[in-house]
Amino acid sequence: MDEQGHPIVRAEVVADNTLFYNTNVIGYTDASGTYRLDIRQPVGTWHVTATMTLNYEGQTIPIDLVPESDEVLAGTVGGVRNFSFKPAATQYGNLGLVNIRTGIGFYGDPGEMTVTLKSVGTLADGSSNKTIAAKPVQSGDGYIIKNVMYGTYLATVSYQGQDLFVRKAVSSGPDATYGKSFTGGFWRDFYALRPTMFLEVSDVECPPILQRCQDQ
C-alpha cells in the first residue's frame, strides 16, 4: 500500500533464500496490491523485499518499499509480509538525496545549515505544493537530506541567520554561478547510485580565491 492506503500494482516482491546463493522467488502485486510466493523449495529461510518504480525525467527509478517486519520466513511455515511506500528510516532513505557541499573559503558547519526546498510543479509521485525545511545530516557521502520526492525544487540555504549563496555542484565541466537560490532537480554525478541534487554553498557570491570570478 501507499501512505494513503491505496494498493500498489506491479510492485516486485523477491524472496531470497538465505542458505543457497542466488536462489530467489519473484512475484508481482496484483490490482489489489496482494501477492503470493511459493517458498517451500528449496528448504530454508527466506528474506523478503519489495520494490516499486517511479518515472522521473525519462528515468525509471526503483524505490525500496518499507517492510512491516524484516524477519526471515521459514519456507515450511510461510507467513505474511506487508510493505508500504513511505520514507525509509535507513541512513540514506529510499527516495531522492540532496547533497550539500561547501565552497572554497567557507568553513561553516553544514549540519547547522537549514535547507529549504519548495516544489515547482508536479513531483514524481503526482504531489505538488510541498515545502521541506531540514538540516543536513552527516553520512559516508558527506552531508545529506534524505527522502526527498523526485522533482523540481527551488532551494535556499541559511546559516546562523544568514542567507547563503548556492549553486549546482558538478564533478567536471564549467562551474555554475552562485545565486540566492537554485532551481532544479536530481541528476547522477560524483558516482551517485541514484539521482541526487548536489548543491554547493558559500557565504559570498564570489569567493576571493576564485580569480575567474574576480575577473568578471
Side-chain angles (χ1 to χ4, degrees):
M1 301 292 182
D2 62 18
E3 288 187 283
Q4 289 74 43
H6 302 137
I8 298 173
V9 182
R10 293 293 296 174
E12 182 179 84
V13 187
V14 179
D16 180 25
N17 190 286
T18 61
L19 179 61
F20 296 97
Y21 173 73
N22 198 28
T23 300
N24 307 305
V25 178
I26 301 174
Y28 298 88
T29 57
D30 60 20
S32 65
T34 60
Y35 68 95
R36 178 183 291 270
L37 302 178
D38 186 345
I39 57 173
R40 290 173 293 183
Q41 295 293 332
V43 174
T45 56
W46 301 77
H47 181 238
V48 186
T49 58
T51 59
M52 60 170 282
T53 58
L54 284 177
N55 295 317
Y56 171 68
E57 302 259 319
Q59 304 177 67
T60 300
I61 305 173
I63 305 295
D64 293 331
L65 300 179
V66 178
E68 193 173 71
S69 170
D70 203 32
E71 295 181 0
V72 297
L73 292 172
T76 54
V77 177
V80 175
R81 286 293 176 266
N82 296 323
F83 296 86
S84 300
F85 172 44
K86 62 182 181 180
T90 54
Q91 181 181 12
Y92 295 99
N94 58 343
L95 297 171
L97 294 174
V98 178
N99 184 287
I100 302 297
R101 297 162 180 255
T102 55
I104 297 173
F106 178 70
Y107 302 102
D109 179 4
E112 294 301 316
M113 298 176 184
T114 298
V115 179
T116 302
L117 303 167
K118 295 182 179 180
S119 65
V120 178
T122 303
L123 302 178
D125 65 346
S127 63
S128 59
N129 298 318
K130 300 289 186 179
T131 298
I132 300 170
K135 292 185 180 297
V137 296
Q138 193 167 20
S139 72
D141 294 320
Y143 284 86
I144 63 170
I145 298 170
K146 65 181 181 181
N147 289 328
V148 179
M149 178 53 62
Y150 293 102
T152 301
Y153 292 86
L154 185 148
T156 56
V157 184
S158 63
Y159 179 67
Q160 296 181 344
Q162 175 186 358
D163 291 333
L164 298 180
F165 293 94
V166 59
R167 70 179 180 182
K168 178 180 180 178
V170 294
S171 61
S172 61
D175 291 327
T177 57
Y178 282 110
K180 285 291 187 179
S181 65
F182 166 80
T183 299
F186 297 74
W187 62 94
R188 297 183 188 272
D189 202 350
F190 298 100
Y191 304 103
L193 296 178
R194 54 176 143 164
T196 301
M197 182 188 297
F198 293 95
L199 300 180
E200 182 180 290
V201 297
S202 175
D203 56 346
V204 293
E205 186 173 12
C206 184
I209 197 171
L210 296 181
Q211 185 62 45
R212 175 192 60 80
C213 181
Q214 296 301 317
D215 290 341
Q216 291 181 352

